[in-house]
C-alpha cells in the first residue's frame, strides 16, 4: 500500500491545497478536488477568499478534454502540453476536424 499527494501550489511554490489518495488512484481525476480546495485571501483581507486561480500549469497527464472543459467553465487559463499522439491525430484530421490546438 502506498499514498499519493496531489498538490496545488502558487508560483513561489507555497502550497494552496492538498489531497492525499491511495497510491493506485489515477492523477487526472484528482484535479477537480484539488482545485475545489483552493482558498486565497484577497488583497484587502475583507470579503471572501478567492477560489479561482488565473492560470493552471500541469503536465500531459492533465490534458484531457474533461479537464480542459472544467477549467474553461471556471474561466481558468491552462498551460498544459498535449500528448504527441493527440497532436498527430489532430494534424492528420486537418481542416475536417480540429485543426487548432485546444484552449
Amino acid at each position: 500500500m502506498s499514498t499519493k499527494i496531489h498538490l496545488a501550489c502558487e508560483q513561489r511554490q507555497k502550497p494552496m491545497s492538498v489531497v492525499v489518495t491511495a497510491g493506485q488512484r489515477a492523477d487526472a481525476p484528482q484535479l477537480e478536488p484539488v482545485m475545489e480546495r483552493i482558498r486565497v485571501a484577497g488583497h484587502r483581507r475583507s470579503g471572501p477568499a478567492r477560489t479561482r486561480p488565473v492560470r493552471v500549469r500541469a503536465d500531459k497527464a492533465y490534458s484531457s478534454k474533461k479537464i480542459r472543459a472544467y477549467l474553461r467553465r471556471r474561466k481558468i487559463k491552462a498551460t498544459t502540453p498535449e500528448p504527441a499522439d493527440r497532436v498527430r491525430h489532430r494534424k492528420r484530421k486537418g481542416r475536417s476536424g480540429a485543426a487548432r490546438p485546444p484552449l
Side-chain angles (χ1 to χ4, degrees):
M1 299 301 285
S2 64
T3 58
K4 279 188 184 177
I5 299 173
H6 306 276
L7 174 71
C9 63
E10 53 108 11
Q11 278 190 304
R12 295 184 181 131
Q13 287 108 24
K14 293 180 183 177
M16 296 169 68
S17 73
V18 177
V19 173
V20 179
T21 61
Q24 64 271 20
R25 299 284 302 266
D27 292 333
Q30 303 312 314
L31 180 82
E32 289 185 35
V34 169
M35 296 296 291
E36 296 298 326
R37 291 185 178 182
I38 292 176
R39 299 287 181 268
V40 179
H43 291 294
R44 302 223 163 96
R45 301 206 189 264
S46 62
R50 286 190 314 121
T51 59
R52 184 179 62 86
V54 174
R55 178 174 298 278
V56 169
R57 292 184 183 150
D59 65 5
K60 292 178 185 181
Y62 298 95
S63 69
S64 70
K65 288 181 181 181
K66 181 180 177 183
I67 288 175
R68 288 183 185 276
Y70 169 77
L71 294 173
R72 270 194 303 273
R73 263 193 324 273
R74 292 196 62 199
K75 298 178 182 164
I76 300 171
K77 296 178 183 177
T79 303
T80 307
E82 275 188 290
D85 63 332
R86 195 174 300 156
V87 172
R88 282 191 309 269
H89 180 68
R90 187 182 71 246
K91 287 183 178 180
R92 187 173 41 236
K93 287 177 83 172
R95 294 183 62 101
S96 65
R100 296 181 353 177
L103 299 174

